[in-house]
Amino acid sequence: MGAKMKLAVAATMAAGAMALSGCGSNSLVQNGYVAARYDGTTVTNDQVQDALIDVRKVNAEFDSQSAAVFLALNPQLSKLAGKYGVATSAAQAKAAFPATVKNPSTSAISVVQSSMDFQALRSSQQGQPALANLINTADVQLNPRYGTWQKGVGPTSVAPNWISASPAPAAS
């Protein structure tokens, strides 16, 4: 094996090892596999994309940041909505899709369920303080491709253009 081939193999192996090992719990969010994380819930990019396919058939304006956040907060929103008697079941969320959306994905159903629970909590006098507390204390880790989350505020920016342009080659 030539020196160039050995160098290429070594570089490839080193890059692969760094990608697999990661540095801390946020590494998957940074490397692009994970869309969001919160309180033990991990949302993948595939889940966000699956949700968008079905939800956008009903609401073309629905964005990937909202999908990622609603999926990450789904367990907490369901728990709070249940506590205050305003919970939406998965069956109710599925029924909210028109007949033209046949068999919505599990992710799409979860997004709709979270959205309905969020709205119900906002409309509930008893649920409003609990929802505000969740937003004030939640520290959702968002992949930069989906924007940012600010504790106490929620999603604060639209996802930037996360595909950076290659630098122009230097003039010789």
Side-chain angles (χ1 to χ4, degrees):
M1 188 181 291
K4 285 185 181 180
M5 182 61 138
K6 286 181 184 177
L7 183 59
V9 169
T12 302
M13 289 175 62
M18 287 181 357
L20 290 174
S21 67
C23 296
S25 64
N26 202 24
S27 64
L28 288 178
V29 172
Q30 291 173 348
N31 80 14
Y33 173 73
V34 172
R37 259 198 193 116
Y38 176 67
D39 196 36
T41 299
T42 298
V43 178
T44 67
N45 291 322
D46 288 343
Q47 289 173 300
V48 171
Q49 295 308 310
D50 287 348
L52 286 175
I53 288 169
D54 292 329
V55 174
R56 282 188 173 159
K57 291 175 185 172
V58 179
N59 179 355
E61 307 276 320
F62 196 77
D63 61 77
S64 57
Q65 182 184 62
S66 297
V69 169
F70 276 132
L71 286 166
L73 292 177
N74 180 269
Q76 294 300 325
L77 288 169
S78 291
K79 182 178 171 182
L80 284 178
K83 181 177 178 179
Y84 293 101
V86 295
T88 305
S89 70
Q92 289 171 308
K94 185 176 181 179
F97 285 92
T100 56
V101 182
K102 297 184 185 331
N103 299 316
S105 69
T106 303
S107 296
I109 293 168
S110 292
V111 164
V112 170
Q113 182 181 21
S114 291
S115 177
M116 293 172 84
D117 285 343
F118 182 87
Q119 292 301 327
L121 286 164
R122 273 183 54 191
S123 299
S124 164
Q125 275 190 332
Q126 295 82 19
Q128 280 179 0
L131 178 61
N133 186 52
L134 175 63
I135 299 303
N136 285 330
T137 60
D139 192 12
V140 178
Q141 294 176 349
L142 276 178
N143 181 315
R145 105 195 264 187
Y146 300 106
T148 58
W149 174 275
Q150 184 178 347
K151 200 176 198 178
V153 177
T156 58
S157 66
V158 177
N161 181 3
W162 56 274
I163 301 175
S164 60
S166 299
S172 326

